[in-house]
Amino acid sequence: MDRTDQDAAASADRKQRQREAFHADDPAAGPLTTDQGVEVDHTDDSLTAGERGPTLMEDFHFREKLTHFDHERIPERVVHARGAGAYGYFQPYESCAEFTRAAFLQDPAVRTPAFVRFSTVQGPKGSADTVRDVRGFATKFYTSEGNYDLVGNNFPVFFIQDGIKFPDFVHAVKPEPHNDMPTGASAHDTLWDFVSLQPETLHAIMWLMSDRAIPRSYRMMQGFGVHTFRFVNAEGRGTFVKFHWKPRLGSHSLVWDEAQECQGRNPDFNRGDLWDAIEAGEYPEWELGVQLVPEEDEFAFDFDLLDATKLIPEEQVPVRPIGRMVLDRNPENFFAETEQVAFHTANVVPGIDFTNDPLLQARNFSYLDTQLTRLGGPNFAQLPVNRPVAPVRTNQRDGAHQSAIHRGTNYFPNSLGGGCPAHAGVDGKAFTHYTERVDGHKIRRRSPSFQDHWSQPALFWNSMSDWEKQHIVEAFRFELGKVDARAVRALTVEQLAKVNGELATEVARGIGVPLPSGPAAEAAEATEASKSASPALSLEAQRGDGSIRTRKIAVLVTDGIDAEQVTSVRERLAAEGAIVEALAPVDGEVRGADGELYTVDRALPTVASVLYDAVLLPGGPVGTSPAAADPDALRFVRDAYRHGKPIGALGSGVGILSALEPEGLRLSTEFHHVESDLGVVTETSPGAAGEEFLDAFVAAIAAHRHWDRLPTRH
Ligand code: HDD
């Protein structure tokens, strides 16, 4: 590291050094004690009157232990209850002084420590990761000027326009009140009842029905600040800003059928993936980009910048990269850090301000309010994960769980305390609210500029590739197909007809409701705006660096395997940064055709194809695939094929692919490579894999999924 890098790394370590002061390594420190520090010699039996007698009240150790345990849980978040977090840092590429005076966006040599929590929204804390849902993407920057929280999602738009509707929306999507079902799912009557009556939901619903709602990894999804915020520079000039996180590895998703199976095979699929990548030193990275709109262009769009159900197409206002974030440290205690972290949209720093977006204004109330209940009082900013690295000097005192021993005066103004803490401002560092002129009548009415609910859902639909459109239709059919109230299904289709006629028709055909006729149908594609497209909205356009780093590749091995083949592919995939695991019917070792023993990473019955990105079938010397006899292996390959995953087969390993012919694979063994455009790459000659095979297999993995292989809807 040169000096600049060292300085940058030291700046990122500020939060870690602060956390270290709070480490409590009880087991290493000596014998067991009570909370009062009294040593305990026996914690396995309670104090009783006689060997078979009743437990005695005076057993203070027993009562303290049980009482503490009884109170170990805090209320889970009312939304976004399930999450996973990590520490890291943010580093700007260059100074953004032209637009904002935020200190953490000025100096490319300074890394600002950060904590990110990813989450699902609907399900409780113990629900599965791979449900169809929005993902939260909340970032806390521990800046030198105090904490800045960017509390975003992996969709750029939200379901409602005004925060007063948030309780209605959340009640509708959450499990139904009478039976607390379904868990982690939106496919139920109350959500779709709400959607059918509330067309402002349609744009976010289109995102929810798309593959964006089932990300392959938290490390492979975009993040968005959603609202239009305001940058303010040192001269006090404001610029509207929308925030975008773009993952270096690109945005990739699961297939719905796979996502559902994953919920059972590994409910921790996304959080485990994040944890493992960081432990392996494969640090997830995102680029922070901004869309900047000068204040004078506030009304230059055919939608309102204050409307959180709208996005600014990137083709209209390009995303300008301003820095990158790297997550390089897992938390040490889930409860202390990931569970107790408290985000708040109103945690801003000088240079970043709000707009009058009514959703944002409501959020600025709600987050502090919810933390008071969730974290049991007003002192949660003292918790290690929430503590700023900037100095804190307030006259706030007391309250539950106060951990500071404040001394001196606690009011302003004072002379007895030397006037401290004094008002900031002389050095220009204080936060000052943007001086926006506001003038109007007190009214309770949605702005007429918020009324077009159909053009942008149409824009989204128009921007999708064919396979994405197919998945959206299938998702609508799945969700509405689970709605019992037929009238709700029909009304939702009427809403969709105002977005796009083809979409409505395809959905209607799958759920047994008539196509709308009359005004709703006529409204489809009515406006100019609803005919446009924004290619950047397609996952096709979000491929990142195109590498296969951290993709998980399964190699199915058994005794008799051609070890030379396995080694040649392993070496190449490892060089590309992929994770390769050898799977066999039982754990331990297999004996290769060369007589050597090879280590097995996992037993097939403990895993499944849905936990991997691709599969390799090496051959053996006996003319058939060694894997072909094993039912788990066959199922593995079938699933990989159904889910569009790359499959590589070598030598006699190609034989197992004939089992896929009923699934639609057109297998030809005459050629060196078979149908590699469908992501099935084969080499029939025995021995080590050739360069051509390796290149084709790596390219197939980089493409992620091979949609042409999957059946089209009817
Ligand atoms: Fe929210 C949590 C994101 C609208 C009220 N929200 C929460 C979290 C994220 C978001 C990522 C989890 C933070 C964490 O990991 O601890 N919320 C959003 C986005 C929204 C949004 C991107 C729209 C643009 N939220 C929204 C509205 C309200 C809330 C309109 C209320 C008026 N959100 C909350 C909350 C939560 C929350 C009830 C629950 C737990 C928490 O705050 O700390 O206050």
Side-chain angles (χ1 to χ4, degrees):
M1 277 203 279
D2 64 24
R3 230 195 103 54
T4 331
D5 283 349
Q6 274 173 7
D7 291 347
S11 55
D13 273 351
R14 276 170 296 168
K15 186 66 191 171
Q16 175 57 11
R17 289 197 298 273
Q18 185 192 57
R19 285 168 72 222
E20 276 162 11
F22 293 91
H23 281 157
D25 296 324
D26 290 339
L32 185 71
T33 72
T34 65
D35 279 348
Q36 308 306 319
V38 175
E39 291 191 7
V40 173
D41 67 346
H42 192 148
T43 193
D44 287 344
D45 296 288
S46 36
L47 190 70
T48 52
E51 278 185 357
R52 299 177 60 251
T55 304
L56 295 175
M57 273 291 281
E58 82 172 64
D59 188 352
F60 56 84
H61 171 52
F62 157 81
R63 279 189 288 122
E64 181 193 80
K65 188 172 171 182
L66 266 282
T67 309
H68 195 282
F69 170 77
D70 291 345
H71 297 270
E72 267 175 18
R73 293 288 174 271
I74 58 174
E76 64 175 34
R77 289 165 175 81
V78 58
V79 285
H80 296 265
R82 180 165 180 85
Y87 289 95
Y89 62 84
F90 173 80
Q91 190 165 16
Y93 293 144
E94 57 188 14
S95 172
C96 300
E98 187 187 345
F99 304 105
T100 172
R101 67 191 182 99
F104 79 107
L105 296 175
Q106 304 302 317
D107 186 351
V110 172
R111 287 180 183 173
T112 295
F115 183 82
V116 177
R117 183 173 177 273
F118 302 105
S119 47
T120 53
V121 179
Q122 198 263 14
K125 188 170 169 289
S127 52
D129 279 350
T130 57
V131 293
R132 178 175 295 284
D133 201 350
V134 190
R135 298 300 183 282
F137 189 140
T139 308
K140 190 179 283 295
F141 300 86
Y142 304 95
T143 89
S144 60
E145 295 176 314
N147 288 352
Y148 169 53
D149 293 354
L150 181 55
V151 197
N153 279 341
N154 74 330
F155 298 179
V157 289
F158 201 64
F159 298 87
I160 46 167
Q161 297 172 317
D162 187 322
I164 197 171
K165 294 217 60 61
F166 192 66
D168 298 299
F169 165 66
V170 174
H171 286 172
V173 70
K174 278 274 184 181
E176 300 197 8
H178 59 301
N179 58 11
D180 200 34
M181 292 194 270
T183 298
S186 48
H188 59 116
D189 282 49
T190 53
L191 174 75
W192 290 96
D193 185 27
F194 185 80
V195 168
S196 69
L197 299 169
Q198 197 76 58
E200 71 198 64
T201 56
L202 284 174
H203 192 187
I205 286 291
M206 293 295 290
W207 283 78
L208 187 67
M209 295 302 107
S210 80
D211 290 358
R212 300 280 187 151
I214 40 173
R216 154 68 178 82
S217 161
Y218 291 140
R219 306 175 294 120
M220 299 172 194
M221 64 181 199
Q222 284 175 271
F224 302 89
V226 182
H227 310 280
T228 304
F229 292 92
R230 193 179 253 122
F231 268 165
V232 185
N233 70 6
E235 287 80 52
R237 181 168 58 84
T239 306
F240 292 116
V241 56
K242 290 232 185 223
F243 293 104
H244 294 243
W245 291 113
K246 290 201 186 195
R248 188 166 60 83
L249 296 174
S251 297
H252 302 286
S253 291
L254 302 172
V255 176
W256 178 227
D257 178 73
E258 172 192 23
Q260 291 176 86
E261 196 189 320
C262 234
Q263 291 173 26
R265 293 277 184 181
N266 183 4
D268 302 309
F269 185 76
N270 288 143
R271 51 158 68 177
D273 165 274
L274 178 69
W275 182 275
D276 291 347
I278 293 176
E279 289 302 297
E282 287 286 350
Y283 300 138
E285 189 174 326
W286 288 261
E287 184 162 73
L288 181 64
V290 288
Q291 285 178 298
L292 297 171
V293 177
E295 295 250 322
E296 55 273 23
D297 290 349
E298 178 168 4
F299 302 108
F301 301 89
D302 54 9
F303 54 87
D304 197 324
L305 285 181
L306 304 185
D307 175 357
T309 67
K310 305 294 186 296
L311 54 83
I312 310 179
E314 286 186 35
E315 294 75 11
Q316 219 168 330
V317 178
V319 178
R320 175 181 172 141
I322 62 168
R324 67 184 190 120
M325 177 168 70
V326 177
L327 297 182
D328 59 0
R329 196 187 292 269
N330 278 317
E332 287 159 303
N333 183 302
F334 182 88
F335 178 83
E337 305 184 273
T338 311
E339 190 62 8
Q340 293 200 112
V341 68
F343 295 94
H344 185 10
T345 46
N347 287 350
V348 287
V349 287
I352 302 181
D353 213 322
F354 315 116
T355 58
N356 296 330
D357 171 346
L359 197 76
L360 175 59
Q361 300 272 323
R363 295 181 74 194
N364 285 345
F365 162 75
S366 190
Y367 287 76
L368 175 56
D369 184 48
T370 202
Q371 314 302 1
L372 294 175
T373 299
R374 194 169 71 81
L375 297 166
N379 289 313
F380 57 85
Q382 295 178 8
L383 294 167
V385 68
N386 295 324
R387 213 168 252 262
V389 295
V392 174
R393 302 174 211 95
T394 76
N395 287 320
Q396 269 89 263
R397 290 290 185 273
D398 309 343
H401 320 303
Q402 175 60 260
S403 65
I405 305 175
H406 289 110
R407 295 185 294 178
T409 54
N410 56 0
Y411 55 91
F412 182 88
N414 70 69
S415 63
L416 298 179
C420 294
H423 278 171
V426 279
D427 54 3
K429 279 199 197 150
F431 186 94
T432 46
H433 290 269
Y434 181 73
T435 45
E436 183 178 6
R437 188 190 158 87
V438 179
D439 187 16
H441 295 285
K442 201 187 289 178
I443 49 167
R444 194 187 283 283
R445 195 179 67 205
R446 196 71 54 89
S447 167
S449 58
F450 280 38
Q451 295 303 332
D452 173 10
H453 307 309
W454 298 278
S455 299
Q456 287 219 346
L459 172 90
F460 183 74
W461 172 257
N462 298 339
S463 312
M464 296 292 102
S465 57
D466 285 347
W467 59 267
E468 287 172 302
K469 283 184 175 167
Q470 169 151 345
H471 292 179
I472 291 171
V473 169
E474 285 165 2
F476 270 113
R477 287 180 174 185
F478 179 94
E479 298 266 316
L480 288 167
K482 286 191 175 264
V483 168
D484 290 333
R486 294 268 159 171
V488 169
R489 294 188 189 191
L491 197 51
T492 308
V493 168
E494 271 188 44
Q495 296 287 4
L496 294 182
K498 295 185 197 172
V499 174
N500 181 282
E502 182 201 0
L503 167 66
T505 310
E506 291 290 319
V507 173
R509 285 179 50 228
I511 58 168
V513 300
L515 257 181
S517 54
E522 284 157 25
E525 298 146 70
T527 64
E528 230 4 79
S530 67
K531 293 191 187 113
S532 58
S534 165
L537 297 178
S538 167
L539 281 168
E540 295 274 10
Q542 303 295 338
R543 292 287 183 216
D545 65 9
S547 80
I548 64 164
R549 284 209 86 76
T550 73
R551 302 300 173 81
K552 280 182 85 173
I553 322 297
V555 183
L556 304 192
V557 299
T558 48
D559 288 331
I561 210 79
D562 183 338
E564 202 188 351
Q565 284 178 348
V566 176
T567 308
S568 60
V569 182
R570 265 199 113 122
E571 280 174 1
R572 173 65 186 276
L573 293 179
E576 303 272 349
I579 300 160
V580 185
E581 288 185 355
L583 314 180
V586 290
D587 219 330
E589 290 168 325
V590 292
R591 190 172 294 281
D594 56 1
E596 299 288 318
L597 289 173
Y598 293 91
T599 308
V600 172
D601 294 300
R602 287 174 208 284
L604 262 171
T606 67
V607 290
S609 161
V610 294
L611 308 179
Y612 294 85
D613 293 295
V615 55
L616 176 78
L617 307 163
V622 285
T624 57
S625 161
D630 186 76
D632 287 331
L634 276 174
R635 179 173 174 186
F636 199 105
V637 180
R638 240 186 227 123
D639 283 350
Y641 189 78
R642 282 191 312 122
H643 297 144
K645 294 181 183 178
I647 299 174
L650 286 166
S652 60
V654 176
I656 194 175
L657 295 179
S658 56
L660 296 178
E661 280 169 335
E663 320 277 333
L665 176 72
R666 283 156 292 149
L667 186 63
S668 160
T669 42
E670 285 170 31
F671 303 104
H672 197 51
H673 291 121
V674 183
E675 305 286 353
S676 67
D677 60 331
L678 292 181
V680 179
V681 187
T682 60
E683 183 170 355
T684 42
S685 49
E691 277 307 306
E692 204 184 332
F693 171 87
L694 293 171
D695 290 346
F697 193 38
V698 168
I701 299 168
H704 188 59
R705 296 301 165 93
H706 298 272
W707 308 112
D708 294 348
R709 198 197 287 164
L710 306 184
T712 47
R713 66 175 172 270
H714 43 80

